[in-house]
Amino acid sequence: MHNRKIAVVGLGYVGLPVAVAFGKQARTIGFDINAARIAELQAGHDATNEVGAADLAATNVEFTADPQSLRQADFHIVAVPTPVDEAKIPDLSPVLKASATVGAQLKRGDIVVFESTVYPGATEEECVPVLERYSGLRCGTDFFIGYSPERINPGDTEHTFAKITKVVSGQTPEVLDIVAAVYGSVVTAGVHRATSVRVAEAAKVIENTQRDLNIALMNELALIFNRMGIDTRDVLAAAGTKWNFLRFDPGLVGGHCIGVDPYYLTHKAAVLGYIPQVILAGRSINDNMGRYVAQQAVKLMIQQGSVVKGATVTVLGLTFKEDVPDLRNTRVIDIIRELEDFGVVVQVLDPHAAPEEAIAEYGITLRHADNLAPADAVILAVPHKNYVSAGWPGICGLLRNGHGPVLDVKARLPREQTPADICLWRL
């Protein structure tokens, strides 16, 4: 056990489950700069759907946007986004601003643990100077730091915060003991003690880099097999019968982890004078898959006799992943933009996405199912449960005269039930 008072800074997909887990054990400070988010949580609702109303009601978390509340804690967990900019350069501004906020409230003996994804060395090289500047204290003497990479998988009800082994690290062996005890008190899966802060940072960034590369291989295979007239999923089903074949599926790679984290590693490598080859090649493949899907849609429409310019395509799903409301770094936008470049009128539906966020982030006005023009093609980009359960009747009802191309990006529709008038394409 431990006697630390916990504060969690950043209450998004990662921070909220962490705060709730600690809040079930003891009073916890949950801080976020977004006042609307705080009001929502105080009302017992989580728009991310990561934490249910019952769990929110059962936790003792003080949700606040007042930074001075952080002075009540002596163990601060920073869980804010770390995105990349349009040039794919790491944007550390959220974590540095969070460091300034925490630093202004730090006291002697406090510990700050970062969960945000960064490149190896960023915690000590970038965050610590900010903590020292705003606190007037010295790291390693007056306060201490640690790193424990987040492993939250949005929408995953099986691999939840408490059920995933927690990698922990600390500035000193004594700090590591404390960090391990704190997380070990709520993570039933146990903790893994990394040998240093940099090792923990590196472990996080390569987890998603590995997945990214494996998916990139599947996407490249899909590009090849499509030219051969072979269904990639059939190939994977056959190859998957071997005991040591690793199963990954082709698809769009977006979100705030897999499509972002590799750039943190490649950026740091480039700063050190090494230009990664394999990692960047995988990123290039994955970043272009949305355009490829759109181009296949245009090709199929032409083959079906449609005039592309002015044609209508209905895109089902905008979020980066099925059954979650998160729009960050969704690669569905690449499909939409490429279709628009061809002169196509694109109708986008997504019952999980917030309409105001779709407009703010991408300038896209989400449509309602009862206010759609008949489509010349349908792209099932994100297989939300309601789309999959509606099956072929739901898809065919969106098409002009009930027939035309259907692009099932993640191959979730039953191929054997494909209507005769449907031209089915799967990635």
Side-chain angles (χ1 to χ4, degrees):
M1 294 298 292
H2 66 90
N3 60 356
R4 289 282 169 164
K5 297 177 181 178
I6 312 299
V8 178
V9 177
L11 299 174
Y13 286 85
V14 173
L16 180 62
V18 173
V20 167
F22 282 109
K24 289 182 178 180
Q25 183 185 81
R27 184 172 178 274
T28 299
I29 302 298
F31 172 82
D32 200 288
I33 60 173
N34 186 336
R37 174 66 167 163
I38 294 299
E40 165 195 303
L41 294 172
Q42 289 173 338
H45 174 65
D46 170 30
T48 70
N49 297 326
E50 290 299 306
V51 178
D55 283 328
L56 279 176
T59 190
N60 185 14
V61 178
E62 178 187 335
F63 296 114
T64 178
D66 181 4
Q68 293 188 355
S69 297
L70 298 175
R71 296 192 67 82
Q72 302 173 40
D74 56 17
F75 192 98
H76 307 272
I77 298 173
V78 178
V80 297
T82 42
V84 293
D85 62 19
E86 292 184 1
K88 309 302 184 184
I89 302 299
D91 178 8
L92 291 175
S93 60
V95 75
L96 295 180
K97 289 177 181 177
S99 298
T101 299
V102 172
Q105 308 302 329
L106 274 184
K107 309 176 301 300
R108 283 181 170 80
D110 283 8
I111 294 175
V112 184
V113 177
F114 292 86
E115 290 207 4
S116 305
T117 300
V118 292
Y119 51 78
T123 300
E124 294 160 307
E125 297 166 7
E126 304 291 344
C127 298
V128 165
V130 176
L131 290 170
E132 291 182 328
R133 184 183 320 131
Y134 281 84
S135 67
L137 302 174
R138 185 173 179 82
C139 185
T141 302
D142 301 320
F143 71 91
F144 303 87
I145 55 97
Y147 184 83
S148 181
E150 63 90 0
R151 284 176 163 174
I152 298 293
N153 185 25
D156 190 337
T157 57
E158 179 181 355
H159 302 97
T160 55
F161 172 68
K163 297 178 182 178
I164 305 171
T165 300
K166 201 78 170 79
V167 174
V168 295
S169 65
Q171 190 171 9
T172 68
E174 294 76 20
V175 171
L176 176 57
D177 285 341
I178 296 172
V179 175
V182 169
Y183 280 108
S185 69
V186 293
V187 178
T188 56
V191 300
H192 172 86
R193 296 176 178 231
T195 54
S196 70
V197 168
R198 292 191 179 204
V199 166
E201 292 169 322
K204 168 57 182 176
V205 81
I206 72 163
E207 288 175 11
N208 285 324
T209 299
Q210 182 188 66
R211 284 186 54 78
D212 191 44
L213 285 171
N214 277 295
I215 297 171
L217 173 60
M218 298 303 108
N219 279 334
E220 187 163 58
L221 292 175
L223 298 177
I224 295 169
F225 292 144
N226 183 63
R227 290 172 178 261
M228 296 178 176
I230 300 174
D231 189 291
T232 306
R233 310 289 171 152
D234 289 343
V235 177
L236 295 178
T241 60
K242 190 180 180 186
W243 77 92
N244 61 352
F245 184 82
L246 302 179
R247 181 60 190 261
F248 287 87
D249 294 313
L252 304 178
V253 183
H256 59 94
C257 288
I258 300 179
V260 172
D261 294 359
Y263 288 119
Y264 275 76
L265 184 57
T266 59
H267 167 76
K268 184 62 175 180
V271 169
L272 296 173
Y274 178 77
I275 305 301
Q277 305 297 311
V278 176
I279 298 172
L280 288 175
R283 281 278 73 237
S284 178
I285 291 171
N286 288 341
D287 275 348
N288 282 288
M289 291 309 292
R291 298 181 187 89
Y292 173 72
V293 171
Q295 290 160 9
Q296 294 304 302
V298 169
K299 183 183 295 185
L300 290 173
M301 283 192 292
I302 292 172
Q303 292 173 353
Q304 295 284 302
S306 296
V307 176
V308 172
K309 186 175 183 180
T312 298
V313 173
T314 295
V315 174
L316 301 177
L318 180 60
T319 61
F320 91 91
K321 180 181 180 182
E322 55 266 33
D323 303 314
V324 300
D326 196 348
L327 289 176
R328 287 178 296 174
N329 194 38
T330 176
R331 301 303 0 132
V332 178
I333 191 64
D334 299 332
I335 298 176
I336 296 167
R337 297 292 186 242
E338 186 75 2
L339 288 172
E340 290 174 339
D341 284 345
F342 277 103
V344 171
V345 177
V346 184
Q347 305 177 125
V348 185
L349 291 82
D350 196 314
H352 293 278
E356 62 276 10
E357 188 177 351
I359 292 176
E361 291 291 326
Y362 303 108
I364 290 176
T365 301
L366 295 176
R367 304 288 291 272
H368 295 284
D370 56 358
N371 185 30
L372 292 174
D376 298 291
V378 171
I379 300 177
L380 179 54
V382 187
H384 294 313
K385 288 179 181 177
N386 57 315
Y387 295 145
V388 176
S389 62
W392 282 113
I395 298 293
C396 292
L398 301 173
L399 287 163
R400 193 184 309 277
N401 300 320
H403 62 82
V406 172
L407 292 90
D408 182 10
V409 175
K410 297 192 74 172
R412 296 296 178 83
L413 296 170
R415 181 178 54 177
E416 65 280 0
Q417 298 175 18
T418 305
D421 290 337
I422 298 296
C423 176
L424 175 63
W425 181 92
R426 314 194 307 174
L427 185 59

